[in-house]
Amino acid sequence: MSIELDHAIVPTRNKRASAKLLAELLGVPWAPTSLGPFAPVFISDSLTLDFMDTEEDFPIYHFCFRVSPQDFDDILGRIQAAGIAYRSSVRGPMDRQINTEYGGSMIYWNEPDGHQWEMLTVSYARQPG
């Protein structure tokens, strides 16, 4: 049996705004409402991020999206056009640089509630061999 992550719930203060922003940056579909209290972002055919409003404190999540080099350039262009600060390392200043240390391209940015998004073209966690 193969196991795939189907969906994850992302707590937020404004589910529609957060879902819409991520979907627009990634160039993927989303919906303002869904089954239950969610605003889903359809990351791929097999993964949905369900944004859910909450007034409770919540941890900051980190999600990494592996994309093709062309998608990387397209998404980065949308991030830049939106004026969103990004950085080349998981921590550190918003240097607006692309990390190329692992044989691909990688950046990090945060959404308004603090969740951290990462985009890369080559997985450093899943090296060949």
Side-chain angles (χ1 to χ4, degrees):
M1 172 180 156
S2 80
I3 298 173
E4 292 184 10
L5 180 63
D6 181 76
H7 68 276
I9 295 174
V10 182
T12 184
R13 301 288 180 232
N14 186 331
K15 69 182 180 184
R16 288 186 176 151
S18 294
K20 182 177 189 268
L21 177 59
L22 181 62
E24 288 176 349
L25 292 174
L26 296 181
V28 298
W30 76 288
T33 60
S34 178
L35 197 62
F38 307 113
V41 176
F42 304 101
I43 302 298
S44 68
D45 290 340
S46 62
L47 178 61
T48 303
L49 293 182
D50 286 319
F51 288 78
M52 183 176 77
D53 285 339
T54 184
E55 294 302 318
E56 299 173 3
D57 290 337
F58 53 80
I60 301 303
Y61 292 147
H62 173 105
F63 290 95
C64 179
F65 308 105
R66 186 172 39 196
V67 300
S68 71
Q70 182 61 56
D71 286 338
F72 184 95
D73 291 343
D74 293 345
I75 294 166
L76 180 58
R78 289 190 287 271
I79 290 169
Q80 291 169 331
I84 295 172
Y86 60 93
R87 63 186 167 278
S88 59
S89 64
V90 70
R91 305 238 190 279
M94 294 296 187
D95 58 10
R96 297 186 187 273
Q97 299 295 311
I98 298 170
N99 184 330
T100 58
E101 292 178 18
Y102 301 101
S105 298
M106 173 182 3
I107 63 164
Y108 302 83
W109 74 98
N110 294 83
E111 62 98 44
D113 286 314
H115 298 303
Q116 184 181 69
W117 310 126
E118 177 182 359
M119 175 176 63
L120 51 75
T121 59
V122 175
S123 177
Y124 53 84
R126 296 180 176 267
Q127 291 293 312

